[in-house]
Amino acid sequence: MRLYAVVAAGGFRRYATYRMATLAGVFTNTVFGFIMAYTYIALWDERPQLGGYDMSQALTYVWLGQALLMTCAMMGGGFEDELMERIRTGDIAVDLYRPADLQLWWLAGDLGRAAFHLLGRGIVPMVLGALAFDLALPASPWTWLAFLVSVALGVVVSFAVRFLVALTAFWLMDGAGAMQIAWLAGLFFSGMLLPLNLFPGVLGEVARALPWSSLLQVPADVFLGTYAGWDLLGAYAFQAGWAVVLLLAGRLLQSVATRRVVVQGG
Amino acid sequence: MADVREGRTAVEPEAVSAERSRLVEGVRAYGLIVAMWLRSTMAYRASFVMTALGNFVATGFDFVTILLMFTHVDVLGGYTLPEVALLYGASATAFGLSDLVLGSMDRLGRRVRDGTLDTLLVRPVPVLAQVAADRFALRRLGRITQGLLVLGYALGTLDIAWTPLKVLVLPMMVLSGAAVFGAVFVVGAAFQFYAQDASEVQNAFTYGGTTLLQYPPSVFAKDLVRGVTFVVPLAFVSWLPALYVLGRDYPLDLPRWVAFLPPVVAAGCWVVAGLAWRAGLRAYRSTGS
């Protein structure tokens, strides 16, 4: 357990060293936040209460998206490039000999990364958004806490998906295609472009049932107070369920892939 | 060197001719490096088709978002779907063109950090051409295709009273728009000489700019519109010429003739970009690693 805490701290520190990049990222998130906020205002001006949100809730959704974009790695980013590279070059063989679990090792590092991005790239855009627009911020500290739990679950789901994608490198010569499909799905089905409750009919139902809704839609709804009591537990169960299923799938694929490494000889 | 100069007409000042030959040299080098990357891209055709398709879909999501918005409303900021599609298509195509030609410039910061920029400096080829052509990504045709399709849809559905002038505005808008975005790419790259890992700032102006232009100006606050008209003149990429074609009122009560300014604005942007690039290159200190 201590080992993984150290790995997580390492993941945090690693991203904390890129100060200029973080500042630049905050700037970009803020610019996109403003652009999207104005388009949402135009939309909600036409249709107040669209998707069950009022104007300030819709604007809050925009800024939550910007704050969580990097934390939940909706457009990818983080460890998967590196893991794929290690698989491609055969360095993965060394990792497998380490007295640490491969999946947990990378998960710990990714949790550290996510924690840094929540602080480094989440807070400032959110504050700037709150200064410029009338946001629906939760009054109760419990809602903030419930939101953080939901974000943490979202990060684990995001990790589990990206771990699966990275493992495809064992079979595909070039994992760029798989990675691209994954981040496309992440961007669209997380609700980053438009809240999933605005997706029409079956598309909406499917989108809300897919794992990616755990990355933004569910945490945002927790933040906006959509879930109370048992509903909140239901939302957590949805996220945790996907996390467990995807992590187990990753574990299964990992053991199949590891046998393959031995065959290849690294 | 001397014999080359003697071959020129005496009327042409030397500085101008040197400038021109450097430009020709740069374009030639750019072409050669691009050809090399094209050959390497085509070595893995299946991978190219997949990534180009991915690029098409990825950039298309922006329009899908707009389509989804229009399942709930008839007008957005007072504009109908085909009108928004014209703004979108113009902006996406213009940005796609500049992204294809200069999209690799955002790798400059990485080269400054890891010291590989030094290799480019010692080659007898303009650095800008080398940086711009570096890892030329033909898959970016996906974005252009997507933009052109939406533009085609807009022109097919809109009921426009065409005049020869309006017909001329269309290609002018897309090409000048690409030039304006291109200048933004170069200024962004020049900034990376100072702030080596701040390439995301550039994204705010390039990707952010094209997203902004995909919606009608009436959607945004006056100050924001003022900013992208007079400070970073993105409004000339699509808004002003497209509103002329649509016959709609301009933002900020601008006169009608501003619709024909994009080529002038683009030229101005490139003067600024050239100066910024030179200043950046002069300020460059190798990391020595």
Side-chain angles (χ1 to χ4, degrees):
Chain A
M1 207 52 212
R2 254 202 59 193
L3 168 72
Y4 298 114
V6 171
V7 173
F12 185 97
R13 265 205 307 278
R14 181 170 170 192
Y15 285 88
T17 48
Y18 300 119
R19 291 206 195 111
M20 269 313 260
T22 305
L23 259 171
V26 164
F27 178 73
T28 308
N29 283 137
T30 307
V31 169
F32 269 93
F34 269 95
I35 295 172
M36 286 181 72
Y38 283 117
T39 63
Y40 277 38
I41 289 175
L43 196 57
W44 262 264
D45 259 342
E46 286 291 321
R47 286 283 308 273
Q49 294 301 326
L50 186 60
Y53 296 144
D54 62 25
M55 180 80 88
S56 65
Q57 285 178 320
L59 290 171
T60 311
Y61 186 95
V62 168
W63 290 97
L64 283 174
Q66 293 303 320
L68 295 183
L69 179 68
M70 290 302 285
T71 307
C72 293
M74 281 173 254
M75 295 177 70
F79 73 95
E80 58 269 34
D81 277 322
E82 200 184 334
L83 178 54
M84 275 182 160
E85 187 60 22
R86 291 190 77 80
I87 293 172
R88 216 173 51 76
T89 56
D91 287 345
I92 192 79
V94 183
D95 299 348
L96 289 169
Y97 277 115
R98 285 208 186 110
D101 182 76
L102 187 73
Q103 195 183 32
L104 281 178
W105 171 279
W106 289 97
L107 173 61
D110 200 51
L111 286 176
R113 177 202 60 79
F116 173 74
H117 277 142
L118 187 64
L119 297 174
R121 287 188 59 170
I123 292 175
V124 177
M126 198 72 200
V127 168
L128 292 173
L131 289 175
F133 300 95
D134 173 30
L135 300 190
L137 303 175
S140 154
W142 292 110
T143 313
W144 285 91
L145 196 66
F147 166 70
L148 285 180
V149 172
S150 183
V151 170
L153 287 168
V155 173
V156 178
V157 172
S158 165
F159 165 81
V161 173
R162 286 175 291 136
F163 188 72
L164 276 171
V165 172
L167 288 188
T168 61
F170 276 109
W171 290 273
L172 304 172
M173 282 268 283
D174 174 32
M179 213 148 79
Q180 194 175 33
I181 291 168
W183 80 253
L184 283 179
L187 191 65
F188 192 65
F189 290 115
S190 62
M192 188 66 206
L193 297 173
L194 206 63
L196 298 179
N197 26 4
L198 265 61
F199 283 26
V202 183
L203 179 65
E205 278 165 40
V206 171
R208 286 188 289 273
L210 289 173
W212 291 285
S213 68
S214 305
L215 310 194
L216 173 60
Q217 185 68 54
V218 176
D221 279 334
V222 170
F223 190 86
L224 294 171
T226 314
Y227 301 113
W230 287 106
D231 285 347
L232 181 62
L233 282 183
Y236 285 165
F238 172 80
Q239 290 182 296
W242 270 121
V244 169
V245 168
L246 292 166
L247 285 175
L248 285 178
R251 193 139 282 263
L252 191 72
L253 201 64
Q254 180 187 323
S255 67
V256 176
T258 335
R259 278 201 289 278
R260 202 179 145 82
V261 174
V262 179
V263 176
Q264 277 185 334
Chain B
M1 246 343 233
D3 50 338
V4 175
R5 292 224 174 131
E6 272 157 18
R8 305 233 172 230
T9 49
V11 200
E12 203 165 35
E14 239 173 65
V16 173
S17 88
E19 190 77 3
R20 188 164 303 167
S21 71
R22 267 185 70 76
L23 184 69
V24 171
E25 195 191 328
V27 171
R28 213 180 84 85
Y30 179 85
L32 287 172
I33 303 171
V34 164
M36 184 193 81
W37 281 108
L38 283 182
R39 272 201 301 280
S40 97
T41 306
M42 284 308 153
Y44 299 99
R45 264 167 223 268
S47 187
F48 162 70
V49 171
M50 256 174 78
T51 51
L53 212 66
N55 189 273
F56 177 83
V57 176
T59 56
F61 273 158
D62 287 338
F63 192 64
V64 172
T65 305
I66 292 175
L67 284 178
L68 286 175
M69 285 181 170
F70 273 95
T71 60
H72 298 282
V73 294
D74 297 323
V75 286
L76 195 65
Y79 286 66
T80 63
L81 177 60
E83 286 177 312
V84 173
L86 181 72
L87 294 174
Y88 178 99
S91 159
T93 312
F95 179 65
L97 281 172
S98 71
D99 187 40
L100 177 71
V101 178
L102 293 165
S104 302
M105 302 277 310
D106 63 358
R107 297 174 55 84
L108 179 79
R110 193 180 311 176
R111 282 192 169 276
V112 172
R113 279 203 307 279
D114 64 18
T116 52
L117 188 72
D118 294 5
T119 335
L120 307 188
L121 290 175
V122 295
R123 288 190 198 138
V125 176
V127 182
L128 183 62
Q130 292 184 68
V131 176
D134 188 29
R135 292 181 175 270
F136 180 82
L138 193 63
R139 63 163 185 278
R140 292 184 176 130
L141 281 175
R143 186 189 291 274
I144 301 176
T145 316
Q146 184 264 134
L148 282 173
L149 280 176
V150 176
L151 199 57
Y153 158 77
L155 295 176
T157 19
L158 281 167
D159 190 20
I160 297 170
W162 287 105
T163 61
L165 217 48
K166 283 188 179 179
V167 175
L168 274 177
V169 163
L170 286 177
M172 176 208 76
M173 162 169 76
V174 171
L175 293 176
S176 316
V180 171
F181 273 127
V184 176
F185 270 115
V186 174
V187 172
F191 176 63
Q192 290 181 53
F193 281 115
Y194 301 96
Q196 307 167 4
D197 52 350
S199 64
E200 273 215 60
V201 169
Q202 189 173 330
N203 293 349
F205 292 101
T206 50
Y207 292 92
T210 185
T211 309
L212 176 93
L213 295 178
Q214 288 163 2
Y215 293 89
S218 56
V219 162
F220 299 100
K222 274 253 163 54
D223 283 330
L224 190 59
V225 176
R226 246 178 234 125
V228 294
T229 308
F230 302 115
V231 184
V232 187
L234 294 174
F236 294 90
V237 170
S238 71
W239 278 351
L240 298 172
L243 295 188
Y244 172 80
V245 174
L246 291 172
R248 299 196 59 136
D249 291 339
Y250 293 173
L252 314 174
D253 298 321
L254 291 166
R256 276 175 71 76
W257 52 263
V258 295
F260 304 98
L261 279 186
V264 181
V265 171
C269 288
W270 271 94
V271 170
V272 173
L275 291 174
W277 176 258
R278 262 176 221 197
L281 199 56
R282 252 202 307 275
Y284 171 66
R285 296 270 182 281
S286 173
T287 52
S289 62

Short mmCIF file of all heavy atoms in Angstrom, two decimals, chain B residues 11 36 52 68-69 73 79-80 95 105 114 129 149 151 176 199 202 212 222 232 264 285:
data_model
loop_
_atom_site.label_atom_id
_atom_site.label_comp_id
_atom_site.label_asym_id
_atom_site.label_seq_id
_atom_site.Cartn_x
_atom_site.Cartn_y
_atom_site.Cartn_z
N VAL B 11 17.39 47.41 -60.85
CA VAL B 11 16.36 48.23 -60.19
C VAL B 11 15.99 47.66 -58.84
O VAL B 11 15.70 48.38 -57.89
CB VAL B 11 15.08 48.29 -61.07
CG1 VAL B 11 14.23 49.48 -60.67
CG2 VAL B 11 15.44 48.31 -62.54
N MET B 36 8.97 14.12 -48.13
CA MET B 36 9.58 13.03 -47.38
C MET B 36 8.58 12.42 -46.38
O MET B 36 8.43 11.21 -46.30
CB MET B 36 10.79 13.56 -46.64
CG MET B 36 11.58 12.55 -45.88
SD MET B 36 12.72 13.36 -44.79
CE MET B 36 11.65 13.77 -43.42
N ALA B 52 -6.83 9.48 -40.79
CA ALA B 52 -7.53 10.53 -41.54
C ALA B 52 -9.03 10.48 -41.23
O ALA B 52 -9.68 11.50 -41.03
CB ALA B 52 -7.28 10.38 -43.03
N LEU B 68 -27.03 18.79 -32.67
CA LEU B 68 -27.78 18.40 -31.46
C LEU B 68 -28.44 19.61 -30.82
O LEU B 68 -29.57 19.53 -30.35
CB LEU B 68 -26.85 17.71 -30.46
CG LEU B 68 -26.43 16.28 -30.79
CD1 LEU B 68 -25.42 15.76 -29.77
CD2 LEU B 68 -27.63 15.35 -30.84
N MET B 69 -27.74 20.75 -30.84
CA MET B 69 -28.33 21.97 -30.29
C MET B 69 -29.60 22.32 -31.07
O MET B 69 -30.62 22.70 -30.50
CB MET B 69 -27.34 23.12 -30.38
CG MET B 69 -26.22 23.06 -29.37
SD MET B 69 -25.15 24.50 -29.57
CE MET B 69 -24.12 24.36 -28.11
N VAL B 73 -33.69 23.81 -30.67
CA VAL B 73 -34.06 25.20 -31.01
C VAL B 73 -34.14 25.37 -32.53
O VAL B 73 -33.58 24.55 -33.28
CB VAL B 73 -33.01 26.20 -30.45
CG1 VAL B 73 -33.02 26.20 -28.94
CG2 VAL B 73 -31.62 25.88 -30.99
N TYR B 79 -29.79 33.02 -35.61
CA TYR B 79 -29.34 32.43 -36.88
C TYR B 79 -29.92 31.02 -37.04
O TYR B 79 -29.97 30.25 -36.08
CB TYR B 79 -27.82 32.35 -36.93
CG TYR B 79 -27.16 33.69 -37.17
CD1 TYR B 79 -27.25 34.70 -36.21
CD2 TYR B 79 -26.46 33.94 -38.34
CE1 TYR B 79 -26.65 35.93 -36.43
CE2 TYR B 79 -25.86 35.17 -38.56
CZ TYR B 79 -25.96 36.17 -37.60
OH TYR B 79 -25.39 37.37 -37.82
N THR B 80 -30.30 30.69 -38.27
CA THR B 80 -30.83 29.35 -38.54
C THR B 80 -29.67 28.37 -38.73
O THR B 80 -28.52 28.77 -38.88
CB THR B 80 -31.68 29.35 -39.82
OG1 THR B 80 -30.83 29.71 -40.91
CG2 THR B 80 -32.84 30.31 -39.72
N PHE B 95 -9.42 26.99 -41.17
CA PHE B 95 -8.54 26.49 -40.11
C PHE B 95 -7.88 25.17 -40.54
O PHE B 95 -6.70 24.95 -40.29
CB PHE B 95 -9.30 26.31 -38.80
CG PHE B 95 -8.43 25.78 -37.69
CD1 PHE B 95 -7.39 26.54 -37.20
CD2 PHE B 95 -8.63 24.52 -37.17
CE1 PHE B 95 -6.57 26.06 -36.21
CE2 PHE B 95 -7.81 24.02 -36.17
CZ PHE B 95 -6.78 24.80 -35.69
N MET B 105 3.66 23.32 -36.10
CA MET B 105 4.47 24.35 -35.42
C MET B 105 4.40 24.24 -33.90
O MET B 105 5.29 24.73 -33.21
CB MET B 105 3.98 25.76 -35.81
CG MET B 105 4.02 26.07 -37.27
SD MET B 105 5.57 26.62 -37.96
CE MET B 105 6.10 27.91 -36.91
N ASP B 114 14.15 19.87 -25.69
CA ASP B 114 15.08 18.73 -25.75
C ASP B 114 16.33 19.03 -26.57
O ASP B 114 17.19 18.17 -26.75
CB ASP B 114 14.37 17.46 -26.23
CG ASP B 114 13.85 17.56 -27.65
OD1 ASP B 114 14.31 18.46 -28.37
OD2 ASP B 114 13.00 16.74 -28.04
N ALA B 129 10.70 26.95 -42.25
CA ALA B 129 10.26 25.91 -43.19
C ALA B 129 10.45 24.53 -42.58
O ALA B 129 9.59 23.65 -42.69
CB ALA B 129 11.04 26.02 -44.48
N LEU B 149 -17.61 19.82 -46.56
CA LEU B 149 -18.93 19.18 -46.62
C LEU B 149 -20.00 20.06 -45.97
O LEU B 149 -21.08 20.26 -46.53
CB LEU B 149 -18.89 17.81 -45.92
CG LEU B 149 -18.30 16.67 -46.74
CD1 LEU B 149 -18.25 15.39 -45.90
CD2 LEU B 149 -19.15 16.42 -47.99
N LEU B 151 -19.80 23.27 -45.52
CA LEU B 151 -19.93 24.45 -46.38
C LEU B 151 -20.85 24.13 -47.57
O LEU B 151 -21.72 24.93 -47.92
CB LEU B 151 -18.54 24.86 -46.88
CG LEU B 151 -18.35 26.28 -47.42
CD1 LEU B 151 -18.75 27.31 -46.39
CD2 LEU B 151 -16.90 26.49 -47.84
N SER B 176 -7.95 33.67 -47.29
CA SER B 176 -7.43 34.68 -46.35
C SER B 176 -7.56 34.19 -44.93
O SER B 176 -6.68 34.43 -44.09
CB SER B 176 -8.19 36.00 -46.48
OG SER B 176 -8.38 36.35 -47.80
N SER B 199 2.67 25.46 -25.21
CA SER B 199 2.03 25.36 -26.52
C SER B 199 0.51 25.42 -26.43
O SER B 199 -0.17 25.70 -27.41
CB SER B 199 2.46 24.09 -27.23
OG SER B 199 2.02 22.96 -26.53
N GLN B 202 -1.28 28.57 -27.52
CA GLN B 202 -1.56 28.61 -28.95
C GLN B 202 -2.91 27.96 -29.27
O GLN B 202 -3.67 28.47 -30.08
CB GLN B 202 -0.43 27.86 -29.65
CG GLN B 202 -0.44 27.98 -31.14
CD GLN B 202 0.81 27.35 -31.71
OE1 GLN B 202 1.86 27.35 -31.08
NE2 GLN B 202 0.73 26.81 -32.89
N LEU B 212 -14.93 29.50 -31.78
CA LEU B 212 -15.65 30.77 -31.63
C LEU B 212 -16.34 31.17 -32.94
O LEU B 212 -17.51 31.54 -32.96
CB LEU B 212 -14.64 31.84 -31.23
CG LEU B 212 -15.14 33.28 -31.10
CD1 LEU B 212 -15.53 33.54 -29.66
CD2 LEU B 212 -14.08 34.27 -31.52
N LYS B 222 -20.17 41.77 -26.46
CA LYS B 222 -19.59 42.82 -27.32
C LYS B 222 -18.07 42.91 -27.19
O LYS B 222 -17.36 43.03 -28.18
CB LYS B 222 -20.21 44.18 -26.96
CG LYS B 222 -21.51 44.47 -27.68
CD LYS B 222 -21.29 45.53 -28.77
CE LYS B 222 -22.42 45.55 -29.78
NZ LYS B 222 -23.74 45.70 -29.16
N VAL B 232 -6.98 40.39 -32.06
CA VAL B 232 -6.62 39.21 -32.85
C VAL B 232 -7.70 39.12 -33.94
O VAL B 232 -8.80 38.66 -33.66
CB VAL B 232 -6.62 37.93 -32.00
CG1 VAL B 232 -6.06 36.75 -32.80
CG2 VAL B 232 -5.82 38.13 -30.74
N VAL B 264 -6.17 41.96 -46.92
CA VAL B 264 -5.32 42.99 -46.33
C VAL B 264 -4.97 42.62 -44.89
O VAL B 264 -3.81 42.71 -44.47
CB VAL B 264 -6.06 44.36 -46.36
CG1 VAL B 264 -5.17 45.45 -45.78
CG2 VAL B 264 -6.51 44.68 -47.76
N ARG B 285 18.04 30.67 -26.86
CA ARG B 285 19.28 30.18 -26.24
C ARG B 285 19.15 28.67 -26.16
O ARG B 285 18.19 28.18 -25.59
CB ARG B 285 19.44 30.75 -24.83
CG ARG B 285 19.59 32.23 -24.77
CD ARG B 285 21.05 32.65 -24.84
NE ARG B 285 21.18 34.10 -24.73
CZ ARG B 285 20.96 34.95 -25.74
NH1 ARG B 285 20.57 34.48 -26.91
NH2 ARG B 285 21.11 36.24 -25.59
#
